Amino acid sequence: MQSARRFLCHSGGVRLTPRQRADRHLSCSEREEISRDIASRESAWQLIRRLGRSPSTLSREIARNGGRDRYRAASADAAGYARAPAQAGHPRPTTGSARPGGGQAGSVLVARSDRRVAATAVSW
């Protein structure tokens, strides 16, 4: 125990892997383009066509970060990075696998979405 602690103190600790965004998330350059187009009063449909994103993605992005009057790419990017879960891509294990015996007949699997929770009894 003491040698591991000493090693970590001398090496500077454990290096965490840098967080990376998924392709489905807006990049910093896309947010900059949104900001420039809002400033130049370009229509939303032209921006949607150029970025190749869905209208709901862009409207949510703009509304979430101050609207057309106060949208700033740098603050929107920082807020988006802060909103993202720290361990994205590592879902919580199902209830059945956390029990001794791992998912016996009659265990309950819980599927979660943003606002709804659905429980389903499973029997094999």
Side-chain angles (χ1 to χ4, degrees):
M1 176 68 176
Q2 200 59 353
S3 62
R5 182 171 292 164
R6 188 177 307 130
F7 173 77
L8 289 174
C9 286
H10 290 296
S11 67
V14 178
R15 288 187 184 90
L16 300 175
T17 57
R19 290 171 60 183
Q20 295 179 347
R21 293 186 189 160
D23 291 336
R24 68 178 187 266
H25 297 274
L26 289 171
S27 67
C28 187
S29 61
E30 288 175 317
R31 286 187 168 107
E32 285 289 340
E33 192 166 346
I34 291 169
S35 181
R36 282 192 303 270
D37 290 347
I38 288 173
S40 67
R41 300 285 185 199
E42 190 169 327
S43 77
W45 285 107
Q46 290 174 342
L47 178 61
I48 289 165
R49 279 189 218 109
R50 189 172 337 124
L51 288 178
R53 297 287 188 156
S54 72
S56 61
T57 300
L58 290 178
S59 64
R60 272 187 267 130
E61 170 71 13
I62 293 168
R64 190 181 288 144
N65 294 295
R68 292 185 73 88
D69 296 333
R70 295 184 300 164
Y71 186 87
R72 296 291 177 266
S75 59
D77 194 54
Y81 191 77
R83 273 191 303 268
Q87 293 183 344
H90 300 282
R92 182 175 156 205
T94 60
T95 310
S97 64
R99 292 193 174 121
Q104 297 289 334
S107 64
V108 176
L109 296 176
V110 177
R112 296 187 69 188
S113 67
D114 286 344
R115 297 172 192 230
R116 291 178 278 171
V117 175
T120 308
V122 177
S123 60
W124 286 297

